[in-house]
Amino acid sequence: MSLLFIVAAFIAVAGAAGVVLAKSPVHSVLALVVNFIALAVLFLSLQAEFMAVIQLIIYAGAVMVLFLFVIALLTARKELPTSPQKWLKNQEVLGAALGLGLMAVLGTVALAGRGAAAEVPADFGSVVAFGRSLLTTNVFVFELTAFVLLVAVIGVVILVGRREA
Amino acid sequence: MTAAPIAAYILVSAVLFAIGGIGVLVRRSPLAMLMSVEVMWNAANLAFVAFARQHGSLDGHIFAFLVITVAAAEVAIGLAIIVLIFRKRATVDVDDIRALRG
């Protein structure tokens, strides 16, 4: 197990914990960016070059800019105001206990894995190999992504684009 | 040869998924919940890419690509809904959003 993996995995987990623990939404977004960059490094170590690049461009770039714009639009205050009334007592404790239980179960399953990495050609995960797979065997996925993005654009325009009714 | 056994990547993926799940369950700001969901999407992506490397097949990359697209669409629509709710009321708390409750 190389130092690269240990450092990247630690940073990814720390970033995810920062997203959950940070009080201010801006700090959450910054922790999420750290998490995404560490994941891109992990993708690179798995020879998934194209996935690492689009992880950086789409997530660390576009999605995070979207989050930051909405936070800037909604509030200049430190924390978004939440309702003082709670509908479920001890919600934090219950949620954390359930999540830690899920972590224990999933971790046990993950550690039971015995598979070894296959021998792959040198261009595995490169843009050329990925593009050839996407545009020949899996061309339906390509069409589907176009449709999903179209639905998202139309949905956002219908939701917030109209004048106040 | 990868930098670590595939099982180690899956373990990191499991831990990230559980942390994201804790965020969804514990936080009450819809923005923080949306970001925790993003962490969960990415944990699933890491598992897809790790298994794709294990089996030497690009299909896992293709599916991770689809997941990234769906996540981007989900963020755009989710943030639009949050902006709409914030226009209507002063607080943004998932406990207050009960208009669809029967």
Side-chain angles (χ1 to χ4, degrees):
Chain A
M1 199 177 298
S2 73
L3 186 65
L4 172 82
F5 172 81
I6 296 172
V7 171
F10 180 78
I11 292 176
V13 172
V19 172
V20 176
L21 295 176
K23 285 281 165 228
S24 147
V26 178
H27 293 169
S28 281
V29 170
L30 293 180
L32 198 52
V33 170
V34 170
N35 179 26
F36 287 162
I37 293 173
L39 273 174
V41 172
L42 287 180
F43 286 173
L44 266 186
S45 74
L46 285 164
Q47 280 181 266
E49 296 161 21
F50 183 67
M51 296 312 297
V53 169
I54 62 173
Q55 174 86 8
L56 285 180
I57 294 176
I58 297 182
Y59 267 124
V63 170
M64 287 305 103
V65 169
L66 204 58
F67 266 110
L68 283 176
F69 261 108
V70 167
I71 290 168
L73 188 69
L74 286 185
T75 175
R77 281 162 288 183
K78 264 186 81 68
E79 190 176 1
L80 288 175
T82 52
S83 161
Q85 188 179 7
K86 295 180 99 173
W87 293 89
L88 181 61
K89 284 193 177 59
N90 298 324
Q91 175 221 359
E92 281 88 358
V93 179
L94 282 174
L98 273 174
L100 289 177
L102 178 69
M103 192 189 290
V105 172
L106 288 178
T108 315
V109 173
L111 285 177
R114 286 287 170 269
E119 291 298 320
V120 290
D123 71 339
F124 181 79
S126 68
V127 181
V128 173
F130 182 89
R132 188 165 288 138
S133 175
L134 181 67
L135 292 175
T136 56
T137 318
N138 298 298
V139 73
F140 180 66
V141 173
F142 182 65
E143 302 287 340
L144 200 61
T145 54
F147 184 71
V148 166
L149 291 176
L150 180 70
V151 169
V153 169
I154 294 174
V156 170
V157 169
I158 287 176
L159 278 173
V160 291
R162 66 187 165 197
R163 296 287 120 228
E164 198 60 46
Chain B
M1 202 48 215
T2 51
I6 297 295
Y9 286 96
I10 304 303
L11 182 64
V12 173
S13 163
V15 170
L16 288 179
F17 191 86
I19 291 176
I22 291 175
V24 173
L25 291 173
V26 168
R27 299 300 301 268
R28 287 156 75 218
S29 147
L31 271 174
M33 289 175 74
L34 213 51
M35 282 185 253
S36 303
V37 170
E38 290 300 308
V39 172
M40 295 173 83
W41 287 110
N42 275 285
N45 264 351
L46 181 59
F48 272 124
V49 172
F51 282 131
R53 181 67 184 77
Q54 174 177 340
H55 295 286
S57 155
L58 275 176
D59 293 347
H61 291 196
I62 300 284
F63 207 94
F65 177 73
L66 184 63
V67 168
I68 288 179
T69 312
V70 173
E74 175 251 5
V75 165
I77 293 190
L79 288 176
I81 292 173
I82 292 175
V83 169
L84 271 186
I85 292 169
F86 203 81
R87 275 189 199 162
K88 296 257 183 225
R89 51 176 79 229
T91 62
V92 177
D93 186 322
V94 286
D95 284 351
D96 291 340
I97 306 162
R98 302 191 306 277
L100 284 180
R101 193 170 71 173

